[in-house]
Amino acid sequence: GDSVTQMEGPVTLSEEAFLTINCTYTATGYPSLFWYVQYPGEGLQLLLKATKADDKGSNKGFEATYRKETTSFHLEKGSVQVSDSAVYFCALSDQGNQGGKLIFGQGTELSVKP
Amino acid sequence: DAGVIQSPRHEVTEMGQEVTLRCKPISGHDYLFWYRQTMMRGLELLIYFNNNVPIDDSGMPEDRFSAKMPNASFSTLKIQPSEPRDSAVYFCASSLRVGGETQYFGPGTRLLVL
């Protein structure tokens, strides 16, 4: 079945460092891809998404490009801030398989130190 | 809109007791999802509804769990009897559609079963 694999955390960075969180997926159809973020004590919220190959999603300085050839959707940010400390989830939704449910990766915890 | 509303935010109960979690989705959203989050298993989809009808309950762990959606603005997740291994954060989410559509999460209910 469909699945999402993320790099393991926790990831600890200094403020203004470059961030990459790797995400790869397996899907039989043509999924949409998402990054959700969960701040401490809160629910998940959408960070960005891409619905077809080569699309780039971006928000709040974060970017991710839908790469069909490598089945990847890596999250990047050029300069992280302390306020970016959170857990980041990569997810896919495949309408043609599993009814379009969101399939989540295991999450990657990011800690940014001042 | 106030977003997805969940109650209670925290619940502490003793093994064997009945637990009822409540959710009010965003008005106009046709899909409602119940998730469970634990350190060991990550985020798991338990069940989802479309227009108040359960579509997929394959993630419901066992018969002790049940979910209802009596109308478009209210859903419950019930655990009876509760067990310590049910301790988790339970999230409700809603969306306009599935397959590429953003899901909006509530703040979650943190359940501790002693």
Side-chain angles (χ1 to χ4, degrees), chain A residues 42-69:
Chain A
E42 298 184 10
L44 281 71
Q45 55 185 273
L46 180 71
L47 181 59
L48 53 85
K49 70 177 184 182
T51 57
K52 60 182 187 296
D54 299 325
D55 271 1
K56 177 185 284 188
S58 61
N59 185 26
K60 299 181 181 179
F62 291 89
E63 293 183 340
T65 301
Y66 187 163
R67 301 284 188 201
K68 194 170 188 302
E69 64 275 15

Side-chain angles (χ1 to χ4, degrees), chain B residues 3-16:
Chain B
V4 176
I5 299 172
Q6 291 187 248
S7 64
R9 292 293 309 275
H10 302 273
E11 177 81 27
V12 180
T13 191
E14 292 187 346
M15 185 173 69

Side-chain angles (χ1 to χ4, degrees), chain B residues 67-84:
Chain B
K68 294 182 180 179
M69 192 164 185
N71 57 62
S73 59
F74 184 65
S75 177
T76 59
L77 178 67
K78 187 174 293 187
I79 308 173
Q80 167 62 21
S82 58
E83 296 182 3

Side-chain angles (χ1 to χ4, degrees), chain A residues 32 34 36 38 41-46 49 51 89 93-95 98-102 104-106, chain B residues 9 33 35 37 42-43 45 48 56 58 89 91 98-108 110:
Chain A
S32 296
F34 304 80
Y36 280 81
Q38 184 179 27
E42 298 184 10
L44 281 71
Q45 55 185 273
L46 180 71
K49 70 177 184 182
T51 57
F89 291 89
S93 177
D94 186 354
Q95 182 63 49
Q98 303 189 46
K101 297 182 295 188
L102 271 178
F104 285 94
Q106 71 271 35
Chain B
R9 292 293 309 275
F33 305 81
Y35 292 90
Q37 185 179 38
L43 262 171
L45 177 65
Y48 79 93
D56 185 345
S58 59
V89 182
F91 290 105
V98 291
E101 193 68 29
T102 301
Q103 289 186 19
Y104 295 84
F105 282 73
R110 188 173 296 274

Side-chain angles (χ1 to χ4, degrees), chain A:
Chain A
D2 294 358
S3 65
V4 175
T5 302
Q6 294 179 231
M7 64 186 283
E8 287 194 20
V11 174
T12 303
L13 296 174
S14 297
E15 207 164 21
E16 299 184 1
F18 184 86
L19 168 71
T20 299
I21 300 178
N22 290 337
C23 170
T24 57
Y25 68 89
T26 301
T28 54
Y30 301 92
S32 296
L33 301 174
F34 304 80
W35 277 100
Y36 280 81
V37 59
Q38 184 179 27
Y39 298 103
E42 298 184 10
L44 281 71
Q45 55 185 273
L46 180 71
L47 181 59
L48 53 85
K49 70 177 184 182
T51 57
K52 60 182 187 296
D54 299 325
D55 271 1
K56 177 185 284 188
S58 61
N59 185 26
K60 299 181 181 179
F62 291 89
E63 293 183 340
T65 301
Y66 187 163
R67 301 284 188 201
K68 194 170 188 302
E69 64 275 15
T70 54
T71 62
S72 65
F73 193 55
H74 304 321
L75 182 68
E76 296 182 337
K77 186 175 186 183
S79 176
V80 294
Q81 305 300 312
V82 173
S83 57
D84 294 326
S85 297
V87 180
Y88 292 81
F89 291 89
C90 185
L92 71 80
S93 177
D94 186 354
Q95 182 63 49
N97 187 33
Q98 303 189 46
K101 297 182 295 188
L102 271 178
I103 308 297
F104 285 94
Q106 71 271 35
T108 302
E109 183 180 359
L110 170 66
S111 177
V112 180
K113 306 297 185 186

